[in-house]
Each structure stands twice: as C-alpha cells, then as structure tokens.
Amino acid sequence: MTQDDLLTQAQAWLAEDPDPETRDELAALLDGGASDELTARFAGTLQFGTAGLRGELGAGPMRMNRSVVIRAAAGLAAYLKAKGEEGGLVVIGYDARYKSADFARDTAAVMTGAGLRAALLPRPLPTPVLAYAIRHLGAVAGVEVTASHNPPRDNGYKVYLGDGSQIVPPADAEIAAEIAAIRSLHDVPRPEDGWDTLGDEVLDAYLERTDHVLTPGSPRTARTVYTAMHGVGKDVLTAAFARAGFPPPALVAAQAEPDPAFPTVTFPNPEEPGAMDLAFEAARAVDPDLVIANDPDADRCAVAVPDPAVTGGWRMLRGDEVGALLAAHLVHKGATGVFAESIVSSSLLGRIAEAAGVGYEETLTGFKWIARVEGLRYGYEEALGYCVDPEGVRDKDGITAALLVTELASVLKEQGRTLTDLLDDLAVEHGLHATDQLSVRVEDLSVIANAMAALRERPPVSLAGLTVVSAEDLTKGTESLPPTDGLRYHLEGAYKARVIVRPSGTEPKLKCYLEVVVPVASAADLAPARAKAAELLVAVKRDLSAAAGL
C-alpha cells in the first residue's frame, strides 16, 4: 500500500466511524503523521480465528471497534438471510470488558435493521449462558462479545449458529465474504430500538439445567475458594453452588467483581504466572479442599489442590489433569457416548475411554470443533475448557465444570481421598501422561512464521534422545482432521512422547504442546516416574526451541 493509499483509506474510515473515541484517536494519528501505526492498523482486516474475531481495541480494520463490529454484524445478518433465516432470532451476550456493551447494542441494532429479531441478555453474563440461550430460545444464531482471558485492551466477537456451536468452515469464510462486500457503514441500517432485552428467565433456566450434571443425592461437602478473575462468573457460580447444596465458596474479594482493567493480574488467565496468587493466599487462610477459578467470561475452569511439596502449599492442576479427572468421574457415573478432545490435549483421555468402552475422537483445536462431534458426551481441551453437558451447552462451560469437579472432590472426601489420589490411580492404570507447554509470546508475528518455516524445512529427527518416528504437516489435513496450520511429531525410544506446534488462534503466541508417557508399575514407582517425565519435558523443550530457532 502506498502512503497515499494508506491516507485515503484511513480518512475514509474516519469519515464513517460512529464512535467519537476512536474518531479522535484516528484523527490524532493522521495529524501526527504516525505512518507506522497507521500501516499496522490498516494492513488488513481482523479474521475469524480459533474463537472468532479478537484484537486490541482501537481505530482501524485491524483493531476491535464499533466500525468493525457493525460490519461483522451486517455480514452475519446477510449470511443468515442468504440461508433463508429472514426474521429469525439472534441472541446476543456480552462480558464486562471495555466497549462490550456498546458492541452488543450495535449488533442488536444491525440485526433489527436487517429484518432479523434480536434479543440482548440482560447484563454482562458468562459466555456459557449465551451458548445455552441459543438453543433454549430457538435462535438461528448467537453472538458473544468477549475476549475471554486476553489482556485488558483486547475485545472479541464470537459467532454461533443455531445448533449452539461456534462457526467453522465454510461458514466463517462465507460470513467474511459478506463482511467484505459491505461498501460503507452508511449502507447498514441501525435503528435506535426494536430489539428485546431479556429478563432473568434465560439465566434461571440455565441455572436449573446446571443441576443435571450432578448425581442426585451425591456428596456435596467439599469446601472451595473461588476467584472470578475480575470477570462475570461470581454471581452465576455462587448461585449454581447454592442450588446444588455445596458450601458457599470463599470468595477472593479483590477479584470478585467485574473490572475491565483487571487490576490485580498482568493477564486475566488462571494459567499465567501470578494470576492465582491471591486465590492461594485466600486458601492458606481458610484451608479449603480445592481452589476454583474462572477466566473473565467464565467459560474456563481452573482447579488447584493442596500440595505440601510446593512452595505456598497449593498446586494448579494442568488442564489435562482436570480433563482426565472429569472423564474418570463421568465413567464412574455410568456416562455413555463419545469422549472427545482437541489434538493438543493429553492422550490419556483416549486410554480412559478405551478402558471404559466409550467412544473417543480427536478434533482440531477449539470447542467449535469438539462441540460438533457426533454423539458427544464429554469434551475437553488442555486450555482449561470442559464441556460436561453438551445437550445444554455445546461449548466449554466453566460453571458446570466447577460443579462437577467439586462433586468429585466431595465423593473422594467421603472416602478419605483427594483429587491427587485419583490422579495417582490413573497414572498406575494407564501410565503417567505428563504434559507441558512451550509458549512464546511475540511482538513481531514474523517470529512465529519463521519458527514454523524452520521446522518445516528442517524437521527434527530426535528430541530429548527420543526418535521422531512420524512428522506430520497438518496444513495438508489427515484422514480424520481438516487442514490447519500445525505440525505434529510422535517420538519413541525408551519412552513415548508427542509434540504439536501451532500458532495461537487467539493471541500473538507460538504454542508447543508436549506430552511424555512413562509406564508406572505400582504406586511406589510414581515419584521416579514423575522425575523422569519432568527431565524429559525439559529436554524436549530445549531441543525443540533449538530446532525452531527460538
């Protein structure tokens, strides 16, 4: 793009921007001759990734703003009408981030102007409430305005169709084509009213549904500390716990109420270092059985357990550990159907499913894929996402997952056992499946492209002394998976291991998912097996970093 083209495009954007805040921002960039910043903002348009549109707030087509949202909503409306859904209902939810309520209202206005019916959830609520509402209300589509666990300056836009699942190809490309066809925002009707704002009836129906994940009469004695991570989960989770008859969670007060600035954490993601510090501090004061955290839109659930061997006395369970625990609990409860996970999650789920005689499937990363598995009974992925009631919510749900893991902790507590004891049992039965992640956050996206290119041009022949017995470039797809930008390696030697490398679909990160499997003959062998697994994971990280030029 020439400098003249850039200025022309920026001035045209400025002329139709409906938001005074981003208009002033863009005008200042133009007046200041900030060509590098303008180039970054007008280098393209935000694209649907793993979880919809997501980006930093600001002016321009490569940022999240009202102009981008209005275009996205208009493209979705055109797509729905082309599919014969004229007059259909679109239900819209939103979190408590900056601009979320504005983006939700703009979406409702665009849908109304396009001849569809629109209904807004009554206030900022967890994403799973929106996912539930779509099917509950018979909507043809749903939109959730959220950036989940991203930094404070980000926001996002998740699109669901009438089956309650997020969009996948080819719908994403078809919607993107409709968005691209919009010549001017002036061509998009946006009435001042005409949509519905729902009351609490949908939330009440969702809460009533959460009871279905629990076994009638099961123990409800486990005590919890809970953090909402400055998000929207507190009121819904505490209401669900009260309905179920669990002891009221002890709240992390400083993180209990919605706050788009996320003042106590660097990143509002329970997986990030330091994010759980206040929760662990609260746990040391009240000595609960477990700590539970939701991310800001409450579709993820993190769990921590007492561990005297860890500094501070509390250990975060990995998503793969919680995924295996919930699977084992569902098997014990007699669940049937298909257990599914994304390819980046631990292969332990497949072992549990095989031993239980239930179906098992792997999918691409993201619940938009997991939720579409035929006959799904349970789905999870390692990034703290769990779908434990697919008939109610065809997406990850941090509220029902928290209920189910607290029920499991209560059952074990009645037996004088803990979640850690059950993890030990699973390791003895199926082998120790140890997982870790090498995650590289970048400022320059070319670092990711260069790392992927290096691995494609010079695939590693061994990692941590284990031979790479298969190297798959997933851009070509497989017999069971559609194409995606990723690489998968299987390793064998004294132990088995697996590595998957992919660019994040939601953040500027390169993510490498590592798993090693160490056989365990008896409980007495667990400690040396864990030490060997930790040693192997460190070595795999080191060798993979070198191979990728990181």
Side-chain angles (χ1 to χ4, degrees):
M1 191 187 309
T2 67
Q3 191 68 15
D4 285 347
D5 288 342
L6 175 63
L7 292 176
T8 299
Q9 190 175 345
Q11 285 161 351
W13 188 275
L14 177 64
E16 62 178 28
D17 188 340
D19 188 334
E21 189 175 330
T22 44
R23 274 205 311 272
D24 290 348
E25 179 186 311
L26 184 53
L29 292 173
L30 285 164
D31 291 346
S35 58
D36 288 348
E37 183 65 21
L38 288 168
T39 299
R41 289 167 183 248
F42 286 86
T45 58
L46 289 180
Q47 300 295 315
F48 287 105
T50 304
L53 300 175
R54 199 174 290 185
E56 185 178 348
L57 291 164
M62 288 295 288
R63 298 289 186 267
M64 281 297 298
N65 51 66
R66 290 183 60 198
S67 296
V68 162
V69 165
I70 291 166
R71 287 175 178 274
L76 173 59
Y79 167 86
L80 292 171
K81 290 166 71 175
K83 296 294 183 183
E85 302 291 3
E86 179 87 37
L89 174 66
V90 179
V91 61
I92 303 149
Y94 56 103
D95 66 12
R97 283 177 177 266
Y98 296 118
K99 297 286 184 181
S100 286
D102 294 339
F103 295 167
R105 281 192 296 271
D106 280 333
T107 301
V110 170
M111 295 301 163
T112 303
L116 292 148
R117 292 180 295 123
L120 278 172
L121 292 184
R123 58 185 172 280
L125 287 167
T127 293
V129 176
L130 180 278
Y132 169 80
I134 295 165
R135 299 174 78 198
H136 178 70
L137 296 173
V140 298
V143 170
E144 175 70 16
V145 180
T146 181
S148 189
H149 58 283
N150 275 39
R153 286 299 302 168
D154 287 5
N155 213 326
Y157 199 80
K158 295 170 74 167
V159 177
Y160 299 75
L161 294 181
D163 64 354
S165 301
Q166 294 178 56
I167 56 171
V168 296
D172 54 357
E174 292 172 7
I175 294 169
E178 296 285 5
I179 295 170
I182 297 162
R183 301 181 65 177
S184 168
L185 290 192
H186 300 310
D187 299 332
V188 180
R190 284 182 289 131
E192 294 293 320
D193 53 33
W195 56 89
D196 292 328
T197 299
L198 301 170
D200 279 345
E201 60 279 359
V202 170
L203 176 59
D204 292 341
Y206 167 82
L207 285 168
E208 186 174 344
R209 176 83 199 183
T210 61
D211 296 349
H212 293 203
V213 305
L214 304 174
T215 301
S218 63
R220 312 281 168 95
T221 55
R223 295 180 305 108
T224 57
V225 159
Y226 171 71
T227 174
M229 206 67 68
H230 298 295
V232 298
K234 181 202 68 170
D235 289 346
V236 179
L237 182 132
T238 53
F241 269 55
R243 285 181 59 92
F246 288 113
L251 302 178
V252 179
Q255 298 175 334
E257 300 302 328
D259 187 336
F262 304 107
T264 68
V265 291
T266 305
F267 292 100
N269 179 352
E271 295 177 293
E272 292 284 348
M276 295 291 287
D277 286 356
L278 289 178
F280 293 158
E281 184 180 313
R284 287 189 287 272
V286 301
D287 193 28
D289 298 296
L290 68 165
V291 172
I292 290 174
N294 286 139
D295 65 341
D297 70 325
D299 63 350
R300 299 180 187 222
C301 176
V303 180
V305 295
D307 187 342
V310 174
T311 302
W314 283 85
R315 178 173 78 87
M316 271 278 288
L317 296 181
R318 292 192 170 278
D320 286 317
E321 292 177 305
V322 177
L325 287 168
L326 291 176
H329 187 38
L330 288 168
V331 164
H332 183 73
K333 286 155 71 85
T336 58
V338 178
F339 285 24
E341 64 180 339
S342 61
I343 57 172
V344 299
S345 305
S346 170
S347 60
L348 177 55
L349 183 68
R351 303 280 184 91
I352 293 170
E354 182 181 13
V358 300
Y360 169 74
E361 278 198 38
E362 275 189 323
T363 74
L364 294 184
T365 306
F367 265 82
K368 63 185 182 182
W369 298 106
I370 293 172
R372 284 184 157 72
V373 168
E374 191 171 344
L376 180 69
R377 175 58 186 87
Y378 169 63
Y380 99 91
E381 64 180 5
E382 55 75 43
L384 310 182
Y386 315 95
C387 175
V388 300
D389 178 25
E391 290 306 305
V393 175
R394 286 196 171 274
D395 199 1
K396 55 187 178 290
D397 182 346
I399 306 297
T400 49
L403 287 170
L404 196 61
V405 78
T406 307
E407 179 186 56
L408 173 57
S410 300
V411 170
L412 293 168
K413 185 177 182 179
E414 296 292 299
Q415 301 168 358
R417 305 177 73 236
T418 66
L419 296 178
T420 305
D421 293 328
L422 181 53
L423 285 171
D424 289 349
D425 292 349
L426 292 171
V428 172
E429 182 177 357
H430 302 292
L432 177 66
H433 290 62
T435 59
D436 202 356
Q437 192 179 127
L438 172 62
S439 182
V440 182
R441 185 179 291 272
V442 301
E443 296 291 332
D444 180 359
L445 291 176
S446 69
V447 173
I448 294 175
N450 293 339
M452 295 296 289
L455 290 170
R456 286 190 168 104
E457 291 164 13
R458 297 177 298 280
V461 295
S462 69
L463 298 168
L466 303 176
T467 302
V468 176
V469 294
S470 74
E472 299 170 279
D473 187 342
L474 298 176
T475 53
K476 302 168 185 175
T478 71
E479 286 185 8
S480 58
L481 297 171
T484 188
D485 187 7
L487 301 164
R488 177 164 61 179
Y489 307 108
H490 286 98
L491 302 94
E492 291 187 9
Y495 306 95
K496 291 188 175 184
R498 185 210 64 199
V499 173
I500 293 175
V501 184
R502 59 179 284 272
S504 170
T506 57
E507 299 176 89
K509 282 182 176 181
L510 180 68
K511 288 189 166 185
C512 310
Y513 305 85
L514 324 173
E515 178 180 53
V516 299
V517 183
V518 178
V520 181
S522 70
D525 300 309
L526 279 167
R530 288 199 171 96
K532 171 52 71 174
E535 173 191 321
L536 286 168
L537 287 169
V538 168
V540 171
K541 272 189 185 182
R542 178 197 63 221
D543 295 351
L544 184 64
S545 293
L550 298 170

